[in-house]
Amino acid sequence: MPGLFSTHFVLAVCLIISLTTISTANAAVRRYKWEVKYEYKSQDCVKKLVLTINGRTPGPTIRAKRGDTVIVQLKNSLLTENVAIHWHGIRQIGTPWADGTEGVTQCPILSGDTFTYQFLVDRAGTYMYHAHYGMQREAGLYGSLRVALPDGESEPFSYDYDRSIILNDWYHKSAYEQATGLSSIPFQWVGEPQSLLIQGKGQFNCSLATPETGACNATNPECSRYVITFVPGKTYRLRIGSLTALSALSFEIEGHNMTVVEADGHYVDPFVVKNLFIYSGETYSVIVKADQDPSRNYWAVSKIVSRSGNTTNGLAIINYYPNHPKRSPPTRPPAGPEWNDTKSRQDQSLSIKSHPNFIHSPPQTSDRVIVLLNTQNEINGRRRWSVNNVSFNLPHTPYLIALKERLGHSFDQTPPPDGYNTTTYDIFKAQDNTNATSSNSIYRLKFNSVVDLILQNAQTMNKNKSDSETHPWHLHGHDFWVLGYGEGKFNKSTDPQKYNLVNPIMKNTVPVHRFGWTALRFRADNPGTWAFHCHIESHFYMGMGIVLEEGIEKVGKLPSSIMGCGDTKGYRRP
């Protein structure tokens, strides 16, 4: 028995995050020890294989202060899969190899291997982390990354309590099944998700379960509703992030207004919303006051917008202490906005401006303009997403290594197009689009130049209806100024005159709305190779992305730990 007790004790300790804080004069080192493996979980009451970190999904929340160094020792205990983790929103200044993007900044972590990520968190804010290998993110490998201000500094808003919430959609089919369908002839779309999760918890209607669904147990405590406890009279900062595989969402708290104060790590000129529209890859902080009737609990609701489907809304409980936390509210959950209320979503996008005391003025002009037309295409009978008629493929040798080690033969050296034929292309018409090409070529940017990226949305290949999806685009390694949104086709001559060059918000993820355009500006001042892609899992898997290179000659010596694949197989990891 003593030996059995010791074994169980050691196992229990191994399942707990090992967080060591080593204080210095101005910063600290935050150490985490993680193990990634598959486990059977019932996130929405349906039993499924799920990717976990130390047995948990969502994974442990990383908490740090600005200026700290985060060190994550990651063991890949998946039996047959590689893995990589991206630190979403962390710019990785000076550590581009730690961005965690397989094929772009590192070789994947092989089954059984241990890899150490080390990076500086240089800006306070709300961030996330998630898998960036294949479509593993939607299998449950994700979590929150919260960076506070150093002691003695204050934010332009006050609150009593701080909470993190990740919103997600959930499929019962595995990522492997979905990827196979996306790559098949005929094409098999992933369809709408079966559930919506709030902080990893949802509830599928078990009466709808079929033998293909798998075991469904509505009484499983793993799928009990997520509970956020409010103390009456207190003020809460809710850090809300979306890591949906497909869905745009509306988030609402019954009976409570939310004041938006932060977006992707930048302070917002505060504005009040009833529904927060949030797209995959975005993070927001909202301030909520516990000022409603304290004798009852309230609903928190996530709902799919921008797409029509029958996915049940995600529900959580706002528990007014000392009510019982599992006591359901006495009301029906709010219905939320209509899925096709495009104007409300566009209005929120236009409402987000920098806080008056924290404006980072953008350069008034740019050195280069790259227009990126998002379209569906077919290549050799397979449905793909493309940018300027080019569908993106990741190379076997990561770009960062190939460029730094002068392995130019590892990817296509032909520059991709900076635009498309705006004269002849009708964005409102379903094009034939069977003449696309695929490539792994990249955009080479002059270091420290100012670059405009114009995202242009268009009709899909669906000829039966007006069909233009909202795409959230995420830029690694940078924040960009959101200069403007517009409807229809972007006009290079007239639309730049409408840009907000006074107080635009800076973000790392932004939507391009249906049949519209979004204009971004950033400075190419972070040496490395950086992905810019649609944050919808299936869309990026199908080729909707690009890679940018800047200042590669300024990148320091690469650690050997990121090598071992493609043309770097001769390099031995330590």
Side-chain angles (χ1 to χ4, degrees):
M1 288 299 290
L4 181 62
F5 175 81
S6 299
T7 301
H8 285 176
F9 178 77
V10 170
L11 289 174
V13 170
C14 290
L15 289 176
I16 300 173
I17 258 190
S18 172
L19 173 59
T20 304
T21 303
I22 305 173
S23 298
T24 63
N26 300 308
V29 176
R30 312 273 175 172
R31 297 184 184 272
Y32 294 81
K33 189 174 183 179
W34 289 356
E35 181 183 14
V36 174
K37 61 181 178 179
Y38 271 114
E39 296 189 16
Y40 282 105
K41 296 285 186 181
S42 299
Q43 305 300 110
D44 69 344
C45 304
V46 173
K47 188 177 181 181
K48 176 187 172 181
L49 268 179
V50 174
L51 276 172
T52 65
I53 297 175
N54 295 351
R56 298 162 56 182
T57 177
T61 295
I62 291 178
R63 291 178 175 86
K65 294 182 180 179
R66 190 189 70 211
D68 287 353
T69 295
V70 173
I71 300 176
V72 178
Q73 182 181 314
L74 182 73
K75 181 181 180 181
N76 178 8
S77 291
L78 304 178
L79 299 178
T80 59
E81 291 182 52
N82 302 331
V83 75
I85 291 187
H86 169 55
W87 314 97
H88 187 109
I90 305 301
R91 292 177 292 181
Q92 302 293 349
I93 297 172
T95 53
W97 48 80
D99 187 55
T101 313
E102 180 268 335
V104 179
T105 61
Q106 73 168 97
C107 291
I109 307 165
L110 302 180
S111 174
D113 279 3
T114 297
F115 182 89
T116 300
Y117 289 101
Q118 180 171 333
F119 53 88
L120 181 75
V121 287
D122 68 315
R123 190 162 33 85
T126 304
Y127 310 104
M128 303 178 288
Y129 63 84
H130 59 79
H132 218 296
Y133 178 83
M135 293 171 62
Q136 287 180 338
R137 187 182 86 219
E138 65 179 74
L141 187 50
Y142 61 86
S144 296
L145 199 167
R146 183 193 301 179
V147 183
L149 288 170
D151 293 342
E153 295 188 32
S154 59
E155 293 173 298
F157 46 86
S158 59
Y159 51 92
D160 299 301
Y161 298 102
D162 199 341
R163 300 286 185 268
S164 295
I165 304 171
I166 291 185
L167 307 177
N168 214 341
D169 48 14
W170 197 244
Y171 288 87
H172 293 158
K173 284 187 176 181
S174 70
Y176 279 119
E177 291 177 277
Q178 294 187 50
T180 300
L182 296 173
S183 303
S184 297
I185 300 177
F187 175 72
Q188 297 177 42
W189 175 234
V190 299
E192 297 302 311
Q194 280 67 63
S195 300
L196 295 181
L197 307 184
I198 299 178
Q199 197 58 17
K201 290 178 176 289
Q203 290 192 344
F204 182 73
N205 185 348
C206 287
S207 67
L208 302 177
T210 65
E212 291 76 23
T213 302
C216 187
N217 179 5
T219 64
N220 192 321
E222 287 184 343
C223 60
S224 61
R225 302 213 189 277
Y226 180 64
V227 176
I228 308 168
T229 297
F230 278 10
V231 175
K234 298 297 184 181
T235 300
Y236 289 80
R237 177 183 187 172
L238 302 183
R239 299 175 184 258
I240 304 169
S242 172
L243 285 175
T244 52
L246 173 68
S247 311
L249 299 175
S250 164
F251 179 77
E252 177 178 356
I253 298 178
E254 178 192 8
H256 296 70
N257 288 329
M258 297 179 285
T259 302
V260 180
V261 294
E262 179 221 346
D264 291 0
H266 292 274
Y267 297 131
V268 170
D269 192 3
F271 64 97
V272 177
V273 297
K274 178 183 177 183
N275 301 91
L276 177 71
F277 296 107
I278 185 168
Y279 306 90
S280 181
E282 288 191 311
T283 62
Y284 290 98
S285 282
V286 298
I287 298 297
V288 182
K289 294 183 178 180
D291 56 4
Q292 298 301 300
D293 179 0
S295 67
R296 50 160 294 196
N297 290 342
Y298 296 81
W299 293 111
V301 184
S302 64
K303 177 182 180 176
I304 292 176
V305 294
S306 182
R307 300 181 65 88
S308 176
N310 57 3
T311 305
T312 302
N313 291 352
L315 295 177
I317 294 175
I318 302 297
N319 164 232
Y320 265 70
Y321 182 82
N323 297 321
H324 194 284
K326 293 185 179 180
R327 179 181 169 189
S328 291
T331 53
R332 294 176 62 87
E338 295 296 324
W339 71 268
N340 57 356
D341 183 2
T342 303
K343 184 178 185 304
S344 292
R345 293 187 287 114
Q346 291 174 334
D347 286 347
Q348 179 185 293
S349 294
L350 292 168
S351 297
I352 305 174
K353 304 290 192 300
S354 287
H355 190 285
N357 297 336
F358 296 90
I359 294 175
H360 301 277
S361 298
Q364 296 299 290
T365 59
S366 64
D367 302 303
R368 183 176 178 182
V369 178
I370 302 173
V371 181
L372 303 172
L373 173 69
N374 306 329
T375 62
Q376 277 186 346
N377 299 63
E378 282 190 358
I379 301 176
N380 299 325
R382 287 182 168 81
R383 185 64 57 93
R384 300 282 293 174
W385 280 100
S386 298
V387 176
N388 294 340
N389 221 35
V390 178
S391 187
F392 177 71
N393 288 320
L394 284 167
H396 294 295
T397 305
Y399 294 107
L400 183 65
I401 303 172
L403 290 164
K404 192 63 180 175
E405 303 296 325
R406 302 183 186 278
L407 304 173
H409 60 280
S410 299
F411 64 92
D412 186 355
Q413 297 296 303
T414 305
D418 273 16
Y420 69 104
N421 191 328
T422 57
T423 302
T424 60
Y425 197 96
D426 184 353
I427 66 167
F428 298 100
K429 178 182 177 182
Q431 305 288 326
D432 181 31
N433 279 0
T434 54
N435 60 339
T437 60
S438 61
S439 175
N440 56 22
S441 61
I442 63 175
Y443 290 84
R444 309 290 295 268
L445 307 178
K446 182 179 179 182
F447 185 69
N448 211 37
S449 62
V450 177
V451 180
D452 283 358
L453 298 172
I454 313 298
L455 296 167
Q456 175 67 67
N457 220 335
Q459 169 76 14
T460 67
M461 293 184 74
N462 188 345
K463 294 181 171 62
N464 298 321
K465 65 176 182 177
S466 177
D467 189 19
S468 176
E469 301 183 35
T470 299
H471 299 283
W473 278 72
H474 170 57
L475 179 59
H476 294 225
H478 302 80
D479 294 327
F480 47 70
W481 290 275
V482 184
L483 300 185
Y485 302 86
E487 297 180 359
K489 187 185 294 186
F490 178 77
N491 186 311
K492 275 189 176 182
S493 300
T494 59
D495 284 328
Q497 299 174 22
K498 309 170 190 174
Y499 285 172
N500 176 10
L501 298 174
V502 178
N503 61 347
I505 190 65
M506 294 191 78
K507 295 183 95 268
N508 61 62
T509 306
V510 70
V512 53
H513 296 291
R514 65 189 310 270
F515 293 116
W517 56 265
T518 301
L520 318 174
R521 178 170 292 173
F522 75 100
R523 189 177 293 278
D525 58 359
N526 190 7
T529 57
W530 308 105
F532 181 46
H533 61 93
C534 179
H535 212 258
I536 293 174
E537 281 276 70
S538 51
H539 291 185
F540 184 45
Y541 175 82
M542 294 167 63
M544 196 173 190
I546 64 173
V547 168
L548 309 168
E549 176 276 323
E550 61 206 56
I552 195 69
E553 70 283 355
K554 300 180 184 299
V555 174
K557 181 177 173 57
L558 302 180
S560 59
S561 59
I562 68 171
M563 303 183 188
C565 61
D567 291 333
T568 73
K569 287 182 179 178
Y571 294 84
R572 293 183 61 86
R573 282 182 170 174

